[in-house]
Amino acid sequence: MEATQTTRRPAAARRRAERAERILAAATELVLRWGYDKTTIDDVARLAGVAKGTIYLHWSSREELFAALMRWDRAQMIGAVRRELRDHPETATLPGLFGHLAREIHRRPLLQAALVQDSAVLGKLVARKRTSTTTPEMVVPFGEYLATLRERGLVRADLGVEDHLTLVAAALHGSLFSLRMMPDSLRVSDERAGELVGDMLARALAGDREPSEADRAACADATRQFVDRAYAVARAKLRESLGDDLPPDEEETS
């Protein structure tokens, strides 16, 4: 339904959505360059090539603009993971999923800053908000996803949802912190970091029997369904910030 409605949007509505994306792109560049505390609406308007008042047509405050910015980045990240699973179906496994996720996080400095609570980038927002509102909404779907994998013998049956989430978070966050602390001569590429996270999780979470082809197929379906659900949640959150200015779904432009 959303795709049809977006396709039929009047030209003025499409231009508003494109303008919102241009503003978000400008805000991203400036926050990464100067940090949130030093980035003003005037700066964003100047770089985006719009009047200051135009930004307030989309968001009522700098805080709302930044919330939209984080939601935009997160939706793009999950969309990219979704495309990777579609283009490389053999990676539709739990380790493959989080390997893709790790690579995307390493490619997105703003999202990295949020995950490691980087005060140089986020400024006073670090003290204001430390948890994502999206994460709790995905706990139940993640539990359902794990239940399918556990039933098929693809993950350890002795670990609960909280245990799996702890291991996943440790691998993802640990890779971010460790690479930031290493000298450039020892840093691996984003691609390699993703591979290592996926391999680590494959070893830590592996089930105790060799899965059949039917088990693998069920795992691939469950993985894609979980990511589709995560993407739908991310898009819904983005809609809260953008309303009718929501950009087209990534499937429409692929």
Side-chain angles (χ1 to χ4, degrees):
M1 179 66 71
E2 180 180 313
T4 302
Q5 291 174 343
T6 303
T7 302
R8 294 176 179 174
R9 276 182 178 179
R14 289 199 302 272
R15 286 195 295 271
R16 276 184 60 93
E18 291 167 357
R19 185 177 67 199
E21 282 199 283
R22 191 166 72 250
I23 293 169
L24 291 172
T28 299
E29 181 178 336
L30 293 175
V31 168
L32 291 174
R33 186 191 305 171
W34 295 332
Y36 172 79
D37 289 352
K38 294 181 180 179
T39 298
T40 68
I41 291 293
D42 288 305
D43 297 327
V44 175
R46 191 177 304 112
L47 185 59
V50 300
K52 179 178 178 180
T54 300
I55 295 182
Y56 290 113
L57 294 176
H58 295 272
W59 303 282
S60 62
S61 67
R62 191 172 64 136
E63 289 75 14
E64 285 192 8
L65 168 59
F66 188 80
L69 187 61
M70 296 306 302
R71 289 172 172 178
W72 184 55
D73 204 25
R74 187 180 299 113
Q76 287 187 315
M77 174 195 67
I78 298 174
V81 170
R82 197 166 173 239
R83 288 192 297 274
E84 284 294 322
L85 293 176
R86 180 192 62 197
D87 296 341
H88 304 282
E90 72 281 1
T91 65
T93 63
L94 181 66
L97 164 61
F98 285 101
H100 289 314
L101 190 61
R103 279 189 290 276
E104 285 302 318
I105 290 172
H106 281 276
R107 292 168 181 164
R108 297 175 184 276
L110 188 61
L111 194 55
Q112 285 184 48
L115 288 172
V116 302
Q117 294 290 282
D118 186 342
S119 59
V121 176
L122 301 183
K124 62 186 178 183
L125 290 175
V126 168
R128 184 174 304 175
K129 184 177 180 182
R130 293 184 178 275
T131 58
S132 166
T133 57
T134 302
T135 300
E137 291 188 35
M138 292 309 301
V139 170
V140 171
F142 186 66
E144 294 170 351
Y145 172 46
L146 284 177
T148 299
L149 301 191
R150 188 181 295 113
E151 181 182 317
R152 294 284 182 167
L154 290 159
V155 294
R156 289 170 54 181
D158 61 320
L159 298 179
V161 174
E162 297 85 355
D163 298 321
H164 283 91
L165 284 171
T166 298
L167 287 171
V168 167
L172 291 175
H173 284 77
S175 68
L176 291 175
F177 279 108
S178 63
L179 288 183
R180 282 169 170 250
M181 294 169 61
M182 286 183 179
D184 290 342
S185 60
L186 296 178
R187 286 176 62 93
V188 299
S189 67
D190 296 336
E191 186 75 18
R192 183 57 178 159
E195 291 174 357
L196 291 171
V197 168
D199 183 67
M200 184 191 314
L201 291 173
R203 295 171 187 271
L205 305 177
D208 57 3
R209 64 181 173 84
E210 183 65 26
S212 66
E213 286 304 312
D215 292 331
R216 295 183 189 279
C219 169
D221 287 342
T223 301
R224 286 188 289 267
Q225 289 170 15
F226 173 69
V227 175
D228 285 346
R229 197 162 176 180
Y231 185 65
V233 169
R235 291 282 296 179
K237 290 290 183 183
L238 184 57
R239 181 178 286 282
E240 290 178 12
S241 289
L242 295 182
D244 291 337
D245 298 334
L246 189 74
D249 185 280
E250 52 98 8
E251 292 296 337
E252 295 179 54
T253 57
S254 60

